[in-house]
Structures are given as C-alpha cells and as structure tokens.
Amino acid sequence: MAKNIPPIVAAMKKYSADEVLPFHTPGHKQGRGAHEFLRELLTAEGLRQEVSLMEELDDLHAPHSCIKEAQELAAKLWHADEAIFFVNGTTSAVQAMIFGTLKAGDLIMIPRNAHRSVISGLILSGAVPIFLPVEFDAEFNLPLNVSVETIKIAIKKFPQAKAVLLVSPNYYGVAADVEKISELVHAAGMILLVDEAHGAHLQFCAELPKSAMDSGADLAAQSTHKILGSLTQTSMLMLRKKFSERVKVAASLLQTTSPNQLLLASLDIARFQMELGGRELIQSAVELSKRLRAGIKKIHGLKTFDAVKNFSLDLTKVTVNVQDLGLTGQQAEEILRRDLKVQCELSDAANLLLLITFADSEETISKLTGALLEMKRLKDEKIKSVWRADFSREISLATLSPRETLYSQTETVEIEKSVGRICAEEITFYPPGIPLLIQGEKISAQIIELIQREKFSRVIGAADKTLSTVKVVT
C-alpha cells in the first residue's frame, strides 16, 4: 500500500475507480438513488465510496487487508500492541474492554463518575463494582479524579479484585496519576483499564498528561472524534497482546456487522493526520488554550485553572467558573448560545467547559474571549443558587452486580421507605453528572437526605423524575 495514502482510503478509492455495476448494499447504490438532501450532506465522491463488505474493503470482524494494516499503524502510533477500530462509539469500546477481560462475579474498582458505558459493560460481563470516591474541588465545584491514596486503600481492602478502571482524563481534563496507579495495580496482580475517551490526543504533546498506554495501562478506550479529526461515533481500543483473543471476540459481539466505510476511513485518516503532523497540531491547540486562559483571567468575575493539585491537567479543556458573576453554568451557556452564537461543550452548576482543538485559530480564540466579556453585560440578574456537592468518601462494594439487578424482580416504593433497600435504577443528577445511586447499591439514609434537601436541574436514569418514588429490588 502506498505510504502517502491511508490504507482504508486507498482500498475505497480503488473500488470506486473500478466503476463496477452495483447489485449490493447500500440501497442508494453509490449515490445513484440518493435523495437531494443526502447529496447535500455528502459529496458525489463520498456517496460513490459509501459501500462496505466488498472483499477489497476488508472485514472489520476478521480484518486481513486494509483494515488490518490501518489498525496496525494505529497501534504503533499510540504505543499499543494492538488497536481495534470501533464505529459504535466509545461506549462499545468500553463495553468490549470490560466484557473481554472480566467474567461474572469478578470484582472491579470503578470511580463514581464512570460513564454509563461502564455500567453496561458490567451488565454484559456480570462483574461486580467496587465504588471509588472521586476527589472534588470545592472552589470550582467540580469532580477531579481518583487519587493514588484511594487506590492504595481500595487494594488493601479488596485484594481479591481483578481489575481497576479509571476515567482519565475526565470530562474537565483532570487526569489521574495513571503511572503510579498502574504500578500499584499490577503489583497486586490486577489489570488496569482506562476509559481514555477524552485523551486520544495526549500522545502528541509533552505538556499534556502522559497517555494511558505509555503509563502502563493494559487497555485504553479512546474517542478519536472528540479532539482529533475522525467522524463522530468513531473510536479505537488500544490493548496489550495478552488480552487480544477475548477482547476481539467481545468487540465482534458488540459491533455492527455493517460498519460504515466512511467512518472506518475517517479513523484511518485521523491516524494519518496525527502521524504526519500530530505534534505540531496538538501543540498549536495547547498554545491557543494558554492564550484563552490569559484572556479569561483579565475578565472580572471569571476564573479558570492551569493546574490541579495532586493531578495533571489536559490544557485543551478550559473550565470557566462563572459563580462570581452570579450565574450558573447553565445560565452562562444560554446567554452564549442565544445572544452571542457561541456554543460550549457543556455547562454545570458553576462552570462552562470549552474544548480547544487544532481546528481553532487566533481568530476563534479572540471571538470567544470577546463573547465571554460580553456575557457579563448580558447576564440575567435572576441569580440561581449553586448546588454544592456532598459525596460519600467511602469505598464500597455493590450488594448485587448490575447484571443481577437487571434480572431481579423490582418494585416502586416511596423514597422515604427505600433506606436499606437495593436500588434497581441509576440516579444521577446533572450537573455534576456523578451518580448518587447505581443499580445494585444499598440505599443509605444519608443519600435520601441529600436527594430531598437539594434541588437539581435534571435527573438521569430514574423512572420517576420527581424522585418521590424509587425502584428497588424485591
């Protein structure tokens, strides 16, 4: 395969150039039958190449040619033994990582702010979670990460655990000390899994936290589309060879049998782009983020941070705290979007999160800084109270696995009467997005008190959004 063109792209171009008469899927037949709206979304060439399952285009479930080559090139670039491409999102990659390494009854340590894909991976595998507390920053009112000390205590308390899963970096760019944790985990005979959805770019800049694979992780799931240049829904799973067989089986079970070739090609192109100039591109994003931070610090009432005590920080994630303006993050997001045509990545009770990538420029950063300054003038004077986090500091083992809970008989009870019962649903308040209750956990009086005391903007997971009742195992 020519070195100046990604292998999947080369295979697609070759098939398209053959001008075959198609009597195969997809139904639009290389664009001949595409509606004009679809033609507006994709170029004519893109439609010609939107085919799959042809011999020349390889098989994602048994790669032997262009997909195999593309995955090998990705593994080499990200310092893994193997890489698996995913077109079902990082959710499938996280699920395969858990499903492919654990079995029913195995104990796995997970942080309380793990993505819901982790819980679904536990349901698939039958593994039982040990919940790890996440450090919290009171000034910015946001979750940090799991500390090394917490891992030490958890390993001592549960030496029979099979694995530890970290979310690093988290949504706000705060990264755990994966290297030290890796040493502890492996010394205890456990495996280290990392949900690195927000860290596919770490490999390419020394100013950012060290990547999971370079820090000793056994497997790491990455959302290639989040900061890098592949299409939404595309991800990669990096792994060590000794886990290959079972993880590949798990990946095949969880992935579509009709993978979109354009999505696969976008992964190959994102790898190609990083291989050619990744260090320069990511460094440019880091420099722009520094400029943005400097601008934010000049705006009275706003603050951001460049470092986090005991943790490292991905500088491409810029958290803007708006509490001193008398705003919640949600109010600030509404002003930016409605009045200033700027959209942030997320807002929470106290902050905005802005993602800076190599697609940004000095012009976009200047416009963003100007919008943040203008936001002060446009702010609504109706101040909302900011919810303050109050999470348990306990390391706790679930009473039932999420899988056992899923298949258990349940009933709905008044929330006041649920103390001591096993929760049958996830209850997460957004913000801050950290579950207060997860399927299989015993409900404590302290949690019920917190739920009834605080007012939250959005409840996720609960059947009764008012939380006057809750589902429990009978």
Side-chain angles (χ1 to χ4, degrees), residues 59-320:
D59 180 355
L60 181 59
H61 293 266
H64 58 278
S65 58
C66 63
I67 295 175
K68 180 176 183 289
E69 183 180 354
Q71 290 183 153
E72 288 172 349
L73 289 168
K76 181 179 179 181
L77 186 61
W78 273 275
H79 301 169
D81 294 341
E82 297 187 33
I84 303 173
F85 285 2
F86 281 80
V87 295
N88 287 34
T90 314
T91 288
S92 287
V94 169
Q95 290 170 341
M97 181 168 68
I98 296 170
F99 189 31
T101 56
L102 300 174
K103 63 182 186 299
D106 284 348
L107 301 187
I108 176 174
M109 301 178 191
I110 68 170
R112 287 213 68 93
N113 63 337
H115 188 265
R116 60 185 302 182
S117 60
V118 173
I119 304 303
S120 58
L122 298 180
I123 291 172
L124 288 167
S125 66
V128 183
I130 298 163
F131 301 109
L132 302 174
V134 176
E135 302 301 313
F136 206 87
D137 186 289
E139 180 185 1
F140 280 80
N141 200 37
L142 58 81
L144 299 175
N145 218 302
V146 177
S147 70
V148 173
E149 189 59 32
T150 293
I151 296 294
K152 286 180 181 177
I153 296 169
I155 289 174
K156 187 174 181 180
K157 187 174 181 180
F158 296 101
Q160 72 274 36
K162 300 293 184 182
V164 173
L165 183 141
L166 300 174
V167 179
S168 184
N170 68 8
Y171 220 140
Y172 297 91
V174 180
D177 191 336
V178 181
E179 195 162 26
K180 283 186 180 177
I181 291 173
S182 172
E183 293 172 2
L184 293 170
V185 168
H186 291 138
M190 304 174 190
I191 62 175
L192 179 60
L193 314 178
V194 180
D195 176 353
E196 199 178 28
H198 298 277
H201 60 300
L202 300 182
Q203 188 70 43
F204 305 100
C205 182
E207 291 188 60
L208 301 182
K210 203 171 181 180
S211 72
M213 297 310 288
D214 279 352
S215 298
D218 295 299
L219 297 95
Q222 300 177 342
S223 292
T224 319
H225 67 270
K226 281 188 166 65
I227 299 294
L228 303 186
S230 66
L231 293 176
T232 298
Q233 199 175 306
T234 57
S235 301
M236 299 186 197
L237 179 59
M238 303 297 162
L239 63 150
R240 299 298 170 206
K241 193 167 187 63
K242 68 177 181 177
F243 301 98
S244 175
E245 186 175 349
R246 272 194 61 196
V247 171
K248 284 181 178 177
V249 170
S252 186
L253 288 170
L254 295 166
Q255 293 233 64
T256 176
T257 54
S258 302
N260 186 292
Q261 204 70 23
L262 299 180
L263 296 180
L264 289 172
S266 78
L267 280 170
D268 200 15
I269 292 168
R271 185 274 314 162
F272 185 69
Q273 185 178 30
M274 287 297 103
E275 190 166 329
L276 288 181
R279 297 199 175 278
E280 293 79 8
L281 291 171
I282 302 305
Q283 187 65 49
S284 73
V286 169
E287 295 305 322
L288 289 170
S289 78
K290 291 177 182 177
R291 177 177 172 181
L292 175 61
R293 282 182 167 82
I296 291 168
K297 289 173 182 177
K298 294 177 183 177
I299 302 174
H300 181 71
L302 299 183
K303 57 186 175 183
T304 187
F305 52 85
D306 305 305
V308 186
K309 187 178 179 181
N310 298 325
F311 298 97
S312 53
L313 181 67
D314 171 10
L315 295 173
T316 67
K317 310 289 198 307
V318 180
T319 299
V320 184

